[in-house]
Amino acid sequence: MKLSDNLQRLFPDGIKGIIFDCDGVMIDSEDANRQFYNLLLKYLDLPPMTSEQESYAFMATSEQALRRMVPGELHWRIPEALREGLVYDRDVLPHIRLMPDFGNFIKAAMAAGLLLAVDTNRTDFGIDRVLDFFGLTAYFDPVISASKALPKPSPEGVRLICGAWAARPEHILFVGDSSDDGEAARAAGAKFAAFGHKGLPGDINVPDFACFAEELGLDAIK
């Protein structure tokens, strides 16, 4: 594995591991998130999400998002809506898509000896369903969710991962697509790779996983 000049400058002693955000990085879940929240809102006789609510829900935990978009007098019905308003495996999971080239990328990254982990604002329930659905569970250790650590932008998840790996954060690259991801990475002392084409500032910008594989010097992933 031969790093590009960009990554060599960031990691003169090499990269030990990569941490991935989930939504917007590993998976394209915009349609699934919209389906999830709109079904719950419909159950509560509320209108569909606004564009502002969609943007917030994409980065927040489900609890944070629901408490923000559901009026306070209906908060007591949120657990009921979660139980009765949808069947996750039937109504939500089929709307999730794996990001192009991600499956081959993580196989190549693991083969190259890189440690792989997930730091997500999903709960254990949500991330476990995604990893099982796409057959990705075996690639990531640890998987840190909002059930295990304070949600991003808190750096707690990154620090827990570095501790599990016995790795210094400056040897770790966090791949995310939001300002919360960037804040979490930098607060923990890790480098941040801004994923996608969103104009998000990062120590390195990664438009897609084919380009990322080239930056890392991985074997062909297609």
Side-chain angles (χ1 to χ4, degrees):
M1 187 176 74
K2 180 176 173 54
L3 301 181
S4 70
D5 291 343
N6 287 335
L7 285 179
Q8 187 63 49
R9 284 191 290 270
L10 288 176
F11 298 97
D13 298 320
I15 297 177
K16 182 165 186 177
I18 303 175
I19 301 171
F20 298 90
D21 174 44
C22 180
D23 296 73
V25 175
M26 296 164 53
I27 59 172
D28 178 351
S29 58
E30 287 190 10
D31 287 344
N33 281 358
R34 193 176 296 113
Q35 175 84 346
F36 174 78
Y37 289 109
N38 282 339
L39 283 173
L40 296 178
L41 292 173
K42 182 179 180 181
Y43 180 85
L44 295 170
D45 296 318
L46 296 171
M49 286 192 294
T50 65
S51 57
E52 184 277 332
Q53 288 171 333
E54 285 189 21
S55 297
Y56 178 77
F58 197 70
M59 293 191 299
T61 67
S62 57
E63 179 181 0
Q64 289 171 332
L66 286 168
R67 292 184 70 83
R68 180 162 170 164
M69 66 180 70
V70 174
E73 63 270 19
L74 291 177
H75 281 180
W76 68 276
R77 293 192 63 198
I78 290 175
E80 172 196 338
L82 287 166
R83 288 194 311 269
E84 307 294 338
L86 56 81
V87 177
Y88 193 87
D89 289 2
R90 181 195 69 199
D91 298 326
V92 180
L93 270 180
H95 293 269
I96 296 175
R97 300 288 180 267
L98 203 63
M99 282 294 187
D101 298 318
F102 181 72
N104 288 332
F105 176 89
I106 57 169
K107 291 175 185 176
M110 178 174 277
L114 289 167
L115 298 171
L116 307 173
V118 177
D119 184 10
T120 177
N121 281 354
R122 283 175 173 262
T123 62
D124 277 349
F125 174 88
I127 187 60
D128 289 348
R129 287 294 191 280
V130 168
L131 295 178
D132 288 345
F133 186 72
F134 289 108
L136 300 175
T137 304
Y139 292 99
F140 302 104
D141 185 25
V143 174
I144 302 298
S145 74
S147 303
K148 296 185 175 78
L150 292 173
K152 297 169 291 183
S154 168
E156 184 179 6
V158 180
R159 289 172 178 159
L160 287 172
I161 292 166
C162 289
W165 286 347
R168 296 177 62 85
E170 59 264 31
H171 297 155
I172 303 304
L173 185 61
F174 188 115
V175 185
D177 71 323
S178 74
S179 58
D180 282 358
D181 295 328
E183 285 184 45
R186 293 185 179 105
K191 302 300 183 184
F192 179 58
F195 184 81
H197 299 271
K198 299 183 178 180
L200 184 68
D203 297 299
I204 186 172
N205 290 83
V206 180
D208 55 50
F209 282 104
C211 292
F212 194 17
E214 290 182 13
E215 291 279 357
L216 286 167
L218 299 178
D219 293 336
I221 64 169
K222 291 188 177 181

